[in-house]
Amino acid sequence: MQDQAGIKASPSKPDVLIVGAGIAGMQAALEVADSGHQAYLLERLPSVGGHMLQFDKTFPTLDCASCIGTPKMSQVGSHKKIELLVCSEVEEVSGHAGDFRVRIRRNPTYVDISQCTGCGECEKVCPVSVPSEWDCGLADRKAAFRVFPQAVPNVYTIDKRGHPPCRAACPAGVNAQGYIALISAGKFREALEVLRRTMPFAGVCGRVCTHPCELECERGKVDKPIAIRALKRFMADRVLEEGTEKPEPITSTKEEKVAIIGSGPSGIACAYDLVREGYPVTVFEAAPEPGGLLRYGIPEYRLPNRVVDEEIGYVQALGVEIKTSTPVTSLEEIFNQGYQAIFLATGAAGSQKMGIPGEDSEGVFQALDFLRKVNSGDKVKLGTKVAVVGGGNAAIDTTRAAKRLGAREVALVYRRSRAEMPAAPEEIEAAEAENIEINILSAPVSVLTENGRVTGIQCIRMALGEPDASGRRRPIQIEGSEFEIEVDSVIMAIGQTVDKTKLPDKLEYTGWGTLAVDSVTLETNVDGVFAAGDVVSGPADVISVVAAGKQAAISIDRYLRGADMTEGRTETVERVREVDKTGVEKKPRQSMPVLEPDKRQGFAEVELGFDEEMAITEAKRCLNCGVCSECLACVSACDRNAIHHDMKVQHRDLEVGAIIVTTGYDVLDPTPIYQYGYKRFDNVLTSFELERLLNSTGPTEGQILLKDGSTPKSAVIIHCVGSRDKNYHEYCSRVCCMYGLKHAHQIREKTGAQVYQMYIDMRTYGKGYEEFYKRISDEGINFIRGKVAQVTDVAQTDEEKGKLIVVCEDTLLESMIRIPADMVILNVAMEPRPDAGEIAKVFGLQQDTDGFFSERHYKLDPIGTQTEGIFIAGCCQGPKDIQDSVAQAIGAAAKALAIVARGEVGTVEVEEVEAVAVGGD
Amino acid sequence: MEKRIGVYVCHCGFNIAGYLDVEKVAEFAGKLDSVVISRHYSYMCSDPGQDLIKQDIKELGLTHVLVCSCSPTMHLRTFREACQDAGLNPFHCDMATIRELCSWVHSHDPQLATEKAMRLVAEGVRRVSYSNPLEIKFAPVNPNTLIVGAGIAGIQAALEIAGSEHKVYLVEREPSIGGHMAQLDKTFPYLESAAEMLNPRMAEVASSEYIELMPYSEVVEVSGYIGNFHVKVKKKARFVDETKCNGCGECWEKCPVEVDSEFDLGIRKRKAIYTPFTGAVPNIPVIDRESCTHFQNGGCSTCEEVCPTKAIDFNQEDEIVELEIGAIVVSTGYDVFDPTPIYQYGYKRFDNVITSLEFERMVNNNDGNIVLKDGSTPQSVAIVHCVGSRDQNYHEYCSRVCCMYSLKYSQLIKEKTGAEVYQMYIDMRCFGKNQEEFYQQASEAGVRFIRGKVGQVTDITQEDEEKGKLIVVCEDSLLGSMIRVPVDLVILSVAMEPRADTDEVARVFLLGRTADGFFLERHPKLDPVGTMIDGVYAVGCCQGPKDIPDTVSQAIGAGARALALISKGKVEMEAATAYVDEEICSGCGYCEAVCAYSAVEVDPRTRIAKVNEAICKGCGACAVNCPSKAMQIKNFGPKQMLDMIDTATREYAGLAS
């Protein structure tokens, strides 16, 4: 075929793409742009600069990296022929030399670059601090940040990793990380506002929420989850204490009136969302006070009525009208009053019956009736010995309420084991603390009566069989194990049902006796009527019914607008998967202060809530899983309206004639080299960390300090950590000897400390390098030839006490030596980027055995790759110093220019040549 | 017009602020005449720093700007561009160097540093206040490139430029291109044949329509400036008509005169008419008139007689060719160190002490056999590292390639002779891609590594087993004892050093040199291929020792620079040039005589000096030599200078106290 092929000249695209904006990428871009061709300079981070700008001084001239780096950055930023594409990655490359098509993904920075002035107001108000990658974790940065002060482009970026686990776990999607971050910054009112973006029940959920968020909390993998519920309560209480201002009523912007039947948490949540959408909303409540089970189902010692009043009052103040003592029996009646949609949230207030003998005797109560009376302040004639049947929260509430009403002995009877009890574990514990007797694996068989009065309850012991439909193990009666408990009152708390008699007719029901609705839109069989909450799901926890009410609000809004009610509703939120927990110290979870059991008189609240100090301490334990908490403090701080938290990934396609890959290197993490003690000893640091300490813009403003803030008197620099080592990298990293010398000089200059260099071979091979070696030797640095065996804190002599001891073979003396030092610096290897494999795939590059990108020919084409038109330069091709990187980058620009400047490329024509994809599988 | 000057004092992180009181300097500057705003900031060169200046120009209507920071070579351009962006003529912006001249040199005396900075700032304010707006002009760029030296660096650079279809003149002093690489056998660390890599490239150079090969030629004169160099090349007489010669080889086969071949370092002979090696490019012989009997006594004309194309021309003369050039790449390479002066190593005294380059030629000839002078095969070989390198008596620098080529030799010796090989090294410097692995291979192959500097090579034996051997006496620094290693062959890994005529070449191209004698790059980090002369690039080993990959990288880089220049098509000219006050000029011609750039000429008719602004660099030599002060430099007038001196040296109340 070859001999039939002709050379065909095809036009070349004039532009060049450079991937990676470290010193190599910047240099290549400037070369290309200076010759009049358009250069696209793509960088994954928010700023150009790369590793070089992290350094303090450069060897061997000791001129500062900033002095030579920032002008380059500045030039790159202002060059008319360079377009910077920061926070971007290349997804796909197709085509051939002279005519590549490149698909670029621009990751959202949530800041409009064209509007941002770099003023830093967002950073000031951002409550989230995370370890700064730029400072190697030695200092913190905010979630709204600028990589470093001289960043180009000089704009801020918001680091958002996705939904934190707590938020993803919340059925209602409450942004817990958001308010926790603000609490940690002492901004309690702002914190409450974050919660109120989702729902009005901070005080309610801060007390009774089943907190699925805490189960998912990543902090739980370190020690204990954040006390999210307690923090929620704290901010609600705190703001209530300080005095809340009534919110401005929301002016209705819409004409369609919505009726909500039932003022429980589901109905109020729905009303809250709809009123904020601008709908006129009326809530119809049969009871004399609003709140549903919040008010009538949960005893005051757990949820005081004033909290319910406050939070429902807030919703009313926004403009929601609540008509109490107004039962609704007919849907037509409501529609006739001009309402265009109805939301049924009437709950499940009916009680289930056990169907055992004696159940209807005097002295047998239904839990909900009992609690309603207790919460309404009505008199209840209860005996002194009470048995409560059931294992849910209502059952526990009932036992504790009974105790408070004066019952001396209260026993709980539950047919399964403790593990199957639906009640919250902390509730069960609290009940036990109040001397409630808990009888598990016991089922009542009959209520014993004498003269129509209860005298006891007969039970039978149960064993657990195979799991049933609910997934819990089915209880089986043990024949002949009957026993009796002597009581004078029995309270049945075995379940709630929907009371169909109190609902309008025409509605359809499920086999479970709950209302039948569309699972996504929550529509009932009657047009314009929606239902959710307990009436649909059966008894559920507060946060679930709040979530259901919010979903109903979405449906109703769409219904009234005539929009598609299903679109986008089934998408699940993707939670942040990887949360880096390295170096997180264990800190105890703040425990909730409670009223001592013997002081629990009447219905005073048992849990007392955190004080300010506890709350802030607890909030500071948050790992900030999503980094940005979406508290939106930055949005209000930004004068230029530059921040948009809803920014999405954008794609852009470029056509270029040539591509230069300058994606750089990573530094080796020496933690696996256990014997060197990195991360185990405070004052063992990597050479990179030392660079940041030395840098005047670094965490110590250029001072070399030990962890305790003192100045080291002696320092050991260990060469070849991870380099020239078969266990890690066999290759030499080329630069460590020289920067080791530079560091020795700087340490000596800044602290006067004794400095030791433990080396294998001194590789000072560049221009002026040997002379530098000589100069540093003359400065009184100690050179010890030998590989370090270990760094230990086990002292053998007095002078070693409190020091790190570097144990090393001095190969010139042929003996083992021990050097006590205050600080140990590990000259860590340069290694390929962890995602070098993926990058190689995208660009059709090959990797050598070390993982660096392969050049086309080691000697004669150190810049070309196996793919024509794609060139490599800098440390992505192998370790090298700045000058070699720059030289290579200039070369790569030459190669790229040779293609684009000619204006055409010769392609071998073999019949019809299709554009060949260079990347992909 | 009222002058409104802005002064900006830079902290440069700690570089300035760490040693002098920037706040005081700024406060002081604020009180100077015409200064309307004085600020200090952490990094003036950063974008926010530049924005400060731009904003003040717009909001405060500044007419002049003085930035007090580093040296103007570093950032004058940066700040002038910033001013221009804000609508100010860039020449109304200047700098006071308070870093290099104050904080760095007086780091131990903050008060002195601060006071000096204040004086420099005061002086700078006066200087900039005299500035006139100047216009930047551009000169066109000639698209032709000159490359001097056709080793692998020159060849690579030429191919790069020719590849984008621009004309290249490739000048080579020797009769053939190829350089040192043509003398090498295998290359490290992959043991590929140097010839296999080089020959195709040489052929490509020969056949490229864009490369004009000028072998056996030397550049004798360069004038002009970036984009517009005028170059004179001396084509040395070959005494062979290139247009007629077909390279058949009759002449050199029949030539009766034999002399040592320079290419083979005397290991082989060549004739008086010769090509340096088989496969030379161009494949045209030259007559060495020193050894040719025709030129000695007119006796022999054998070559002329046997030449089938009548190409021999004994009357040929050296010829000067003049070229117009846009960019120049200097790639004149290196020399190998002659170890004869290191008496104790016995080079030239003992037969079997040879240099590394001699070893290359030995392996490359002789069908690759490694033999002693007597033709026998060595049983043991010592390779002595750092001969002339890392040695204060010769060259302090490391030659970068010796460790690796020595490892390569040990591989070759082991492979071909099975001899015992000793490496006497100081540090093993195997820092390149796959080089550490190559070192490992050699260790595993049983090469003996002895860490220590060799004391001497001697033939004085102490024991029987040493008899007839060369004894390498060396301190084994790992054992801490002196050892004696008897061997048959000693290879000295000699240093790379600047060419013997580097001085002359530097003079012709106006290049700077480092203390080591190599050509000086413009910036060791950020411009390793540029030189202090715009449009002249230095690459490869003339700029410092390096291996082939690094040389090739640099050569490609220089190609990039030349191409960038060509594709831009124009260069910015110096704006602050000399000018003549024609009323005063007496036409004495002092200015013309001192101008290093030939930019000044006295009109023979009017007897008035004229400045060619395109060439003038604004150096000021003419101005200081002008007896009547008719010649001056724009923005550097005598009144201005006196005012500056006055300002810098006068008394200030309470300065820096």
mmCIF file of all heavy atoms in Angstrom, chain A residues 233-255:
data_model
loop_
_atom_site.group_PDB
_atom_site.id
_atom_site.type_symbol
_atom_site.label_atom_id
_atom_site.label_comp_id
_atom_site.label_asym_id
_atom_site.label_seq_id
_atom_site.Cartn_x
_atom_site.Cartn_y
_atom_site.Cartn_z
ATOM 1 N N ARG A 233 -30.669 22.649 67.023
ATOM 2 C CA ARG A 233 -31.459 23.168 68.131
ATOM 3 C C ARG A 233 -30.801 24.400 68.714
ATOM 4 O O ARG A 233 -31.449 25.392 69.023
ATOM 5 C CB ARG A 233 -31.575 22.094 69.216
ATOM 6 C CG ARG A 233 -32.185 22.681 70.461
ATOM 7 C CD ARG A 233 -32.362 21.675 71.550
ATOM 8 N NE ARG A 233 -32.663 22.406 72.784
ATOM 9 C CZ ARG A 233 -33.043 21.813 73.875
ATOM 10 N NH1 ARG A 233 -33.161 20.495 73.921
ATOM 11 N NH2 ARG A 233 -33.288 22.518 74.955
ATOM 12 N N PHE A 234 -29.467 24.342 68.831
ATOM 13 C CA PHE A 234 -28.766 25.464 69.434
ATOM 14 C C PHE A 234 -29.052 26.754 68.682
ATOM 15 O O PHE A 234 -29.382 27.772 69.270
ATOM 16 C CB PHE A 234 -27.256 25.206 69.465
ATOM 17 C CG PHE A 234 -26.477 26.448 69.770
ATOM 18 C CD1 PHE A 234 -26.389 26.920 71.078
ATOM 19 C CD2 PHE A 234 -25.870 27.191 68.760
ATOM 20 C CE1 PHE A 234 -25.709 28.092 71.365
ATOM 21 C CE2 PHE A 234 -25.192 28.365 69.043
ATOM 22 C CZ PHE A 234 -25.111 28.817 70.359
ATOM 23 N N MET A 235 -28.952 26.708 67.339
ATOM 24 C CA MET A 235 -29.107 27.974 66.626
ATOM 25 C C MET A 235 -30.546 28.480 66.710
ATOM 26 O O MET A 235 -30.781 29.679 66.790
ATOM 27 C CB MET A 235 -28.612 27.871 65.188
ATOM 28 C CG MET A 235 -29.391 26.920 64.319
ATOM 29 S SD MET A 235 -28.659 26.813 62.684
ATOM 30 C CE MET A 235 -29.776 25.679 61.910
ATOM 31 N N ALA A 236 -31.498 27.527 66.747
ATOM 32 C CA ALA A 236 -32.885 27.950 66.860
ATOM 33 C C ALA A 236 -33.116 28.610 68.229
ATOM 34 O O ALA A 236 -33.662 29.702 68.328
ATOM 35 C CB ALA A 236 -33.802 26.746 66.691
ATOM 36 N N ASP A 237 -32.638 27.929 69.286
ATOM 37 C CA ASP A 237 -32.828 28.459 70.637
ATOM 38 C C ASP A 237 -32.147 29.800 70.793
ATOM 39 O O ASP A 237 -32.679 30.729 71.384
ATOM 40 C CB ASP A 237 -32.222 27.491 71.669
ATOM 41 C CG ASP A 237 -33.057 26.238 71.815
ATOM 42 O OD1 ASP A 237 -34.104 26.146 71.131
ATOM 43 O OD2 ASP A 237 -32.663 25.352 72.601
ATOM 44 N N ARG A 238 -30.932 29.850 70.251
ATOM 45 C CA ARG A 238 -30.121 31.042 70.424
ATOM 46 C C ARG A 238 -30.820 32.270 69.797
ATOM 47 O O ARG A 238 -30.912 33.319 70.405
ATOM 48 C CB ARG A 238 -28.759 30.795 69.783
ATOM 49 C CG ARG A 238 -27.829 31.958 69.802
ATOM 50 C CD ARG A 238 -27.584 32.400 71.243
ATOM 51 N NE ARG A 238 -26.699 33.531 71.240
ATOM 52 C CZ ARG A 238 -25.412 33.438 71.600
ATOM 53 N NH1 ARG A 238 -24.921 32.296 72.022
ATOM 54 N NH2 ARG A 238 -24.658 34.507 71.557
ATOM 55 N N VAL A 239 -31.304 32.063 68.587
ATOM 56 C CA VAL A 239 -31.937 33.179 67.897
ATOM 57 C C VAL A 239 -33.256 33.531 68.601
ATOM 58 O O VAL A 239 -33.594 34.701 68.766
ATOM 59 C CB VAL A 239 -32.146 32.848 66.411
ATOM 60 C CG1 VAL A 239 -32.985 33.908 65.723
ATOM 61 C CG2 VAL A 239 -30.799 32.720 65.724
ATOM 62 N N LEU A 240 -33.949 32.512 69.083
ATOM 63 C CA LEU A 240 -35.204 32.745 69.796
ATOM 64 C C LEU A 240 -34.940 33.552 71.065
ATOM 65 O O LEU A 240 -35.627 34.508 71.382
ATOM 66 C CB LEU A 240 -35.844 31.393 70.140
ATOM 67 C CG LEU A 240 -37.238 31.426 70.733
ATOM 68 C CD1 LEU A 240 -38.218 32.071 69.748
ATOM 69 C CD2 LEU A 240 -37.713 30.001 71.051
ATOM 70 N N GLU A 241 -33.852 33.152 71.767
ATOM 71 C CA GLU A 241 -33.452 33.829 72.995
ATOM 72 C C GLU A 241 -33.153 35.302 72.743
ATOM 73 O O GLU A 241 -33.548 36.173 73.488
ATOM 74 C CB GLU A 241 -32.140 33.209 73.474
ATOM 75 C CG GLU A 241 -32.163 32.557 74.817
ATOM 76 C CD GLU A 241 -30.862 31.776 74.966
ATOM 77 O OE1 GLU A 241 -29.787 32.413 74.968
ATOM 78 O OE2 GLU A 241 -30.929 30.526 75.011
ATOM 79 N N GLU A 242 -32.381 35.537 71.676
ATOM 80 C CA GLU A 242 -31.988 36.911 71.369
ATOM 81 C C GLU A 242 -33.174 37.745 70.933
ATOM 82 O O GLU A 242 -33.098 38.966 70.874
ATOM 83 C CB GLU A 242 -30.959 36.918 70.228
ATOM 84 C CG GLU A 242 -29.575 36.482 70.674
ATOM 85 C CD GLU A 242 -28.609 36.377 69.521
ATOM 86 O OE1 GLU A 242 -29.052 36.539 68.350
ATOM 87 O OE2 GLU A 242 -27.426 36.138 69.765
ATOM 88 N N GLY A 243 -34.243 37.054 70.584
ATOM 89 C CA GLY A 243 -35.432 37.762 70.129
ATOM 90 C C GLY A 243 -35.496 37.771 68.623
ATOM 91 O O GLY A 243 -34.606 38.282 67.944
ATOM 92 N N THR A 244 -36.529 37.141 68.106
ATOM 93 C CA THR A 244 -36.646 37.090 66.653
ATOM 94 C C THR A 244 -37.453 38.284 66.198
ATOM 95 O O THR A 244 -38.356 38.756 66.870
ATOM 96 C CB THR A 244 -37.373 35.816 66.209
ATOM 97 O OG1 THR A 244 -38.529 35.662 67.035
ATOM 98 C CG2 THR A 244 -36.496 34.604 66.361
ATOM 99 N N GLU A 245 -37.078 38.761 65.049
ATOM 100 C CA GLU A 245 -37.893 39.801 64.458
ATOM 101 C C GLU A 245 -38.884 39.112 63.544
ATOM 102 O O GLU A 245 -38.534 38.179 62.839
ATOM 103 C CB GLU A 245 -37.018 40.749 63.636
ATOM 104 C CG GLU A 245 -36.128 41.605 64.513
ATOM 105 C CD GLU A 245 -34.899 42.071 63.755
ATOM 106 O OE1 GLU A 245 -34.957 42.162 62.516
ATOM 107 O OE2 GLU A 245 -33.875 42.327 64.422
ATOM 108 N N LYS A 246 -40.101 39.592 63.575
ATOM 109 C CA LYS A 246 -41.100 38.977 62.686
ATOM 110 C C LYS A 246 -40.684 39.242 61.249
ATOM 111 O O LYS A 246 -40.305 40.348 60.904
ATOM 112 C CB LYS A 246 -42.489 39.606 62.949
ATOM 113 C CG LYS A 246 -43.132 39.116 64.231
ATOM 114 C CD LYS A 246 -43.763 37.740 64.044
ATOM 115 C CE LYS A 246 -44.167 37.127 65.399
ATOM 116 N NZ LYS A 246 -44.004 35.690 65.448
ATOM 117 N N PRO A 247 -40.736 38.210 60.444
ATOM 118 C CA PRO A 247 -40.325 38.425 59.054
ATOM 119 C C PRO A 247 -41.340 39.282 58.309
ATOM 120 O O PRO A 247 -42.497 39.370 58.701
ATOM 121 C CB PRO A 247 -40.284 37.017 58.479
ATOM 122 C CG PRO A 247 -41.237 36.239 59.306
ATOM 123 C CD PRO A 247 -41.197 36.848 60.675
ATOM 124 N N GLU A 248 -40.869 39.934 57.278
ATOM 125 C CA GLU A 248 -41.753 40.703 56.408
ATOM 126 C C GLU A 248 -42.689 39.737 55.692
ATOM 127 O O GLU A 248 -42.237 38.740 55.139
ATOM 128 C CB GLU A 248 -40.927 41.424 55.338
ATOM 129 C CG GLU A 248 -40.238 42.676 55.834
ATOM 130 C CD GLU A 248 -41.230 43.764 56.180
ATOM 131 O OE1 GLU A 248 -42.015 44.154 55.275
ATOM 132 O OE2 GLU A 248 -41.242 44.217 57.349
ATOM 133 N N PRO A 249 -43.983 40.007 55.714
ATOM 134 C CA PRO A 249 -44.885 39.112 54.970
ATOM 135 C C PRO A 249 -44.518 39.119 53.489
ATOM 136 O O PRO A 249 -44.109 40.143 52.957
ATOM 137 C CB PRO A 249 -46.266 39.724 55.190
ATOM 138 C CG PRO A 249 -46.121 40.665 56.326
ATOM 139 C CD PRO A 249 -44.704 41.105 56.354
ATOM 140 N N ILE A 250 -44.674 37.974 52.884
ATOM 141 C CA ILE A 250 -44.360 37.856 51.462
ATOM 142 C C ILE A 250 -45.577 38.284 50.660
ATOM 143 O O ILE A 250 -46.686 37.825 50.912
ATOM 144 C CB ILE A 250 -43.966 36.411 51.111
ATOM 145 C CG1 ILE A 250 -42.661 36.060 51.823
ATOM 146 C CG2 ILE A 250 -43.841 36.214 49.611
ATOM 147 C CD1 ILE A 250 -42.345 34.601 51.833
ATOM 148 N N THR A 251 -45.366 39.185 49.722
ATOM 149 C CA THR A 251 -46.487 39.633 48.905
ATOM 150 C C THR A 251 -46.810 38.550 47.874
ATOM 151 O O THR A 251 -45.901 38.039 47.221
ATOM 152 C CB THR A 251 -46.118 40.920 48.146
ATOM 153 O OG1 THR A 251 -45.281 41.697 49.002
ATOM 154 C CG2 THR A 251 -47.337 41.705 47.741
ATOM 155 N N SER A 252 -48.085 38.231 47.782
ATOM 156 C CA SER A 252 -48.466 37.202 46.804
ATOM 157 C C SER A 252 -48.238 37.726 45.403
ATOM 158 O O SER A 252 -48.640 38.844 45.075
ATOM 159 C CB SER A 252 -49.936 36.840 46.955
ATOM 160 O OG SER A 252 -50.124 36.254 48.218
ATOM 161 N N THR A 253 -47.584 36.928 44.612
ATOM 162 C CA THR A 253 -47.353 37.328 43.221
ATOM 163 C C THR A 253 -48.228 36.492 42.301
ATOM 164 O O THR A 253 -48.255 36.689 41.110
ATOM 165 C CB THR A 253 -45.890 37.109 42.839
ATOM 166 O OG1 THR A 253 -45.559 35.758 43.147
ATOM 167 C CG2 THR A 253 -44.975 38.042 43.590
ATOM 168 N N LYS A 254 -48.887 35.496 42.888
ATOM 169 C CA LYS A 254 -49.685 34.610 42.057
ATOM 170 C C LYS A 254 -51.141 34.674 42.511
ATOM 171 O O LYS A 254 -51.421 34.980 43.682
ATOM 172 C CB LYS A 254 -49.147 33.178 42.170
ATOM 173 C CG LYS A 254 -47.675 33.097 41.761
ATOM 174 C CD LYS A 254 -47.303 31.719 41.298
ATOM 175 C CE LYS A 254 -45.971 31.699 40.582
ATOM 176 N NZ LYS A 254 -44.798 31.802 41.460
ATOM 177 N N GLU A 255 -52.020 34.373 41.607
ATOM 178 C CA GLU A 255 -53.437 34.489 41.955
ATOM 179 C C GLU A 255 -54.058 33.191 42.442
ATOM 180 O O GLU A 255 -55.029 33.182 43.178
ATOM 181 C CB GLU A 255 -54.220 34.986 40.735
ATOM 182 C CG GLU A 255 -53.862 36.425 40.402
ATOM 183 C CD GLU A 255 -54.742 37.015 39.331
ATOM 184 O OE1 GLU A 255 -55.485 36.235 38.692
ATOM 185 O OE2 GLU A 255 -54.668 38.232 39.145
#
